[in-house]
């Protein structure tokens, strides 16, 4: 909630917006890649363009690029290793998450985002629990938010079409 947005120190994740970091993921430029990687021009990252992992991520970045509250984005923030308890084996397992983007808002708040299509979320039996655990870990240990976006939150019409138009015009028309 909004309470923990303010109570934690906000400095933990902020360095990735200004300093070099090891990306948590690399996206290769392969024609027969199953997730259709792409190139996305941006004004909010340190580089003038970023490589996207899948079309859903590119559409999600349009939302971030056109949102005036979002001041910086950092693609593929560092991987996070975390442990989850397994009731069957009676031991904890180490899992890894490689988020797609970290976002810094104008109030300094940082949110880490993963773009996961609905079909993939439904395939994973423990997906909701994973999201709950990651929200907790990112909030408590990194002072930031964690969110999962799917086509249900990203591709809302007519909003998506309007944002896409706004994004495209922002690169064509630079007049004040």
């Amino acid at each position: 909630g909004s309470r923990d947005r303010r109570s934690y120190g906000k400095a933990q994740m902020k360095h990735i917006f200004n300093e070099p970091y090891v990306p948590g993921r690399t996206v290769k430029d392969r024609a027969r890649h199953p997730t259709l990687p792409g190139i996305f021009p941006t004004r909010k990252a340190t580089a003038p363009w970023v490589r996207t992992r899948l079309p859903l991520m590119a559409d999600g970045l349009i939302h971030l690029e056109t949102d005036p509250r979002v001041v910086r984005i950092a693609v593929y923030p560092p991987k996070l290793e975390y442990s989850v308890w397994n009731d069957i084996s009676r031991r904890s397992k180490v899992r890894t998450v490689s988020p797609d983007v970290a976002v810094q808002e104008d109030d300094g708040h940082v949110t880490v985002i993963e773009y996961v299509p609905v079909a993939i979320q439904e395939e994973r039996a423990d997906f909701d629990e994973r999201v709950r655990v990651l929200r907790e870990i990112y909030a408590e240990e990194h002072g930031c938010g964690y969110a999962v976006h799917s086509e249900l939150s990203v591709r809302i019409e007519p909003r998506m079409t309007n944002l896409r138009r706004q994004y495209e015009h922002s690169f064509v028309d630079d007049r004040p």
Side-chain angles (χ1 to χ4, degrees), residues 9-174:
K10 291 181 191 164
Q12 291 99 321
M13 286 290 283
K14 278 202 184 151
H15 69 279
I16 68 169
F17 297 99
N18 310 309
E19 298 160 24
Y21 60 92
V22 178
R25 178 195 296 270
T26 50
V27 179
K28 292 178 178 63
D29 188 14
R30 282 193 302 223
R32 290 189 299 277
H33 196 271
T35 62
L36 295 168
I39 299 289
F40 184 85
T42 174
R43 290 199 174 92
K44 295 185 179 181
T46 50
W49 58 270
V50 297
R51 194 176 287 285
T52 55
R53 184 172 64 83
L54 68 174
L56 175 62
M57 179 180 174
D59 287 347
L61 290 178
I62 288 175
H63 284 258
L64 303 178
E65 197 69 24
T66 54
D67 185 340
R69 293 169 310 176
V70 173
V71 290
R72 305 285 296 153
I73 63 170
V75 289
Y76 311 121
K79 271 184 193 154
L80 175 75
E81 283 198 339
Y82 63 103
S83 58
V84 287
W85 180 257
N86 185 309
D87 284 330
I88 298 158
S89 65
R90 313 276 310 139
R91 64 175 67 167
S92 62
K93 288 183 175 172
V94 175
R95 295 272 160 85
T96 306
V97 60
S98 301
D100 291 309
V101 64
V103 175
Q104 187 175 27
E105 291 177 42
D106 54 9
D107 66 357
H109 183 67
V110 174
T111 303
V112 171
I113 300 171
E114 262 192 294
Y115 294 100
V116 185
V118 172
I120 291 172
Q121 291 184 32
E122 288 172 352
E123 268 169 29
R124 296 185 187 159
D126 61 344
F127 193 81
D128 290 344
E129 177 63 8
R130 176 182 177 274
V131 170
R132 190 193 63 72
V133 167
L134 287 170
R135 275 199 182 125
E136 207 170 276
I137 292 168
Y138 274 110
E140 289 173 10
E141 297 175 21
H142 301 280
C144 68
Y146 167 80
V148 172
H149 292 190
S150 72
E151 52 281 46
L152 299 180
S153 56
V154 171
R155 296 189 174 141
I156 301 164
E157 290 298 351
R159 186 165 171 234
M160 187 70 232
T161 301
N162 295 337
L163 291 178
R164 186 173 281 119
R165 196 173 294 128
Q166 187 183 330
Y167 166 74
E168 287 163 1
H169 284 309
S170 76
F171 282 91
V172 175
D173 187 2
D174 275 342

